Amino acid sequence: MPQFKKIYLEITNRCNLSCDFCPSSKLNRRGTIMKVADFQSIIQRLQPYTKHLYFHLLGEPLLHPKLETLLQISEAAGMQVNLTTNGTLIKKREQALIVNNALRQINFSLHSFEANQLNQRITDYLTDIVAFIKMIQSKRLVYCSLRLWNMDRQQLQAKNTLNQQILTFIEQAFQLDFKLKEVLQNKQQIKLKDGIYLHLAEKFQWPALELNIISEQMFCHGLRDHLAIQVDGTVVPCCLDSEGNIPLGNIFENSLNEILNSERAKSIYDGFSKRQAVEALCKRCGYATRF
């Protein structure tokens, strides 16, 4: 039985923002929030395959009204949860994240702020995030990653006029004795404090069938160390298949073992073993070119 380092689980595909870099603004799937009973059923099916869940695919996980319950179920099942959020709701949902020990890591996509027209000051937004980080770190170690797109390529520019303001705020908030901009010349990840990191990345374009083929020669970790499950139970090879263009089966209708041993799943796996993309969507994935 394969063991996955992580399984992405989309507890909702709804979001309170409409980031200009995210495909959710063009989402054809109906906005849905996963029922608690469905979540519990999925967790039972995933227990033999992983100990790490990622509440991430599309959508804002902090929007889920039963987030605390989902974390309690995860903890009872021995699962550790990693969660990615835009951070705008952190002050409202902080108690749901603090009350049990399932949460292992929380990633804040700071570039979400500038990708929207928000009626909020950047300093207020960052203050809420830093206050949460300090609060939860005072209770137990939870890895906190501040993510920022500021390594732009000319052909794919991200909005980043606030980057220096964000870096200055972080320096002051965590009382750093070094300048982030200087250190970041040669690094993409910096440890700010124990369990607290700043991670930089280039903006990338989500794969879509209407895009031109990038390459047919590539490798991906999809179906090797991870897979993804959409809010309706559809299993896809990775978290970048936002529209479910590569449905391998449905976790509510088939066992994960049956899904992984399907002809389509094995073809994808075997193809990447030869560094070949067999799916049309994979051939259009810029992220896979990083491997």
Side-chain angles (χ1 to χ4, degrees):
M1 184 175 295
Q3 292 295 305
F4 294 95
K5 290 183 179 179
K6 54 194 171 186
I7 291 182
Y8 294 95
L9 186 54
E10 185 182 67
I11 61 174
T12 179
N13 59 3
R14 295 178 182 175
C15 190
N16 62 319
L17 299 184
S18 183
C19 297
D20 57 14
F21 57 77
C22 181
S24 61
S25 60
K26 305 184 288 292
L27 187 67
N28 292 320
R29 294 187 288 130
R30 183 171 60 90
T32 306
I33 291 177
M34 184 177 288
K35 297 177 181 178
V36 171
D38 288 343
F39 179 85
Q40 190 147 26
S41 175
I42 290 175
I43 296 304
Q44 291 172 349
R45 295 165 187 258
L46 296 185
Q47 275 185 293
Y49 294 91
T50 191
K51 294 299 181 185
H52 290 272
L53 300 175
Y54 274 63
F55 290 177
H56 176 59
L57 211 156
L58 285 185
E60 170 53 57
L62 299 191
L63 274 179
H64 200 292
K66 299 292 185 180
L67 179 62
E68 184 176 336
T69 301
L70 304 191
L71 291 171
Q72 290 170 347
I73 293 171
S74 301
E75 183 177 9
M79 298 280 197
Q80 292 188 303
V81 174
N82 303 267
L83 181 151
T84 297
T85 174
N86 59 49
T88 56
L89 302 175
I90 194 64
K91 192 171 184 178
K92 295 179 180 178
R93 305 310 309 275
E94 60 185 19
Q95 282 304 119
L97 298 171
I98 289 173
V99 292
N100 68 73
N101 296 319
L103 185 66
R104 173 188 174 271
Q105 178 172 331
I106 182 165
N107 308 311
F108 293 96
S109 299
L110 301 185
H111 43 276
S112 300
F113 186 93
E114 197 164 2
N116 291 270
Q117 298 294 325
L118 299 180
N119 295 319
Q120 183 183 24
R121 296 187 305 173
I122 183 66
T123 52
D124 294 336
Y125 167 73
L126 294 172
T127 296
D128 288 346
I129 291 174
V130 169
F132 169 81
I133 291 174
K134 291 181 176 180
M135 180 189 303
I136 200 164
Q137 294 288 42
S138 70
K139 298 180 181 298
R140 66 182 190 277
L141 176 62
V142 173
Y143 296 103
C144 300
S145 176
L146 302 172
R147 296 182 172 180
L148 190 61
W149 278 347
N150 77 335
M151 298 175 62
D152 292 334
R153 292 174 294 171
Q154 187 62 39
Q155 66 267 36
L156 198 58
Q157 290 286 320
K159 292 180 180 178
N160 60 5
T161 61
L162 295 177
N163 278 357
Q164 185 53 57
Q165 187 176 349
I166 292 171
L167 294 179
T168 300
F169 187 96
I170 292 172
E171 291 168 358
Q172 296 171 352
F174 293 106
Q175 299 180 318
L176 303 181
D177 59 1
F178 56 88
K179 293 295 183 183
L180 287 171
K181 188 173 183 179
E182 295 175 4
V183 178
L184 292 172
Q185 297 299 318
N186 301 309
K187 293 185 177 181
Q188 289 184 261
Q189 180 170 293
I190 299 174
K191 180 179 179 180
L192 305 177
K193 299 285 183 180
D194 286 345
I196 307 173
Y197 299 86
L198 174 64
H199 181 78
L200 307 182
E202 292 180 340
K203 182 178 180 179
F204 71 94
Q205 192 168 36
W206 260 262
L209 293 176
E210 63 269 19
L211 298 177
N212 293 328
I213 290 177
I214 296 174
S215 176
E216 296 186 3
Q217 303 297 313
M218 61 176 64
F219 176 79
C220 179
H221 294 285
L223 297 182
R224 275 181 160 72
D225 72 1
H226 68 273
L227 55 82
I229 302 175
Q230 295 180 330
V231 69
D232 66 350
T234 300
V235 177
V236 293
C238 78
C239 66
L240 296 181
D241 187 2
S242 59
E243 283 288 356
N245 286 306
I246 313 177
L248 302 176
N250 191 290
I251 196 70
F252 297 122
E253 299 169 3
N254 311 99
S255 71
L256 191 53
N257 186 59
E258 290 173 330
I259 292 170
L260 293 173
N261 283 288
S262 66
E263 183 177 342
R264 191 171 194 179
K266 289 194 292 185
S267 176
I268 294 169
Y269 187 100
D270 293 342
F272 284 130
S273 295
K274 303 171 185 175
R275 305 196 72 84
Q276 293 180 355
V278 300
E279 291 284 344
L281 188 71
C282 300
K283 296 173 185 179
R284 292 161 171 81
C285 181
Y287 195 86
T289 60
R290 300 181 180 189
F291 303 124

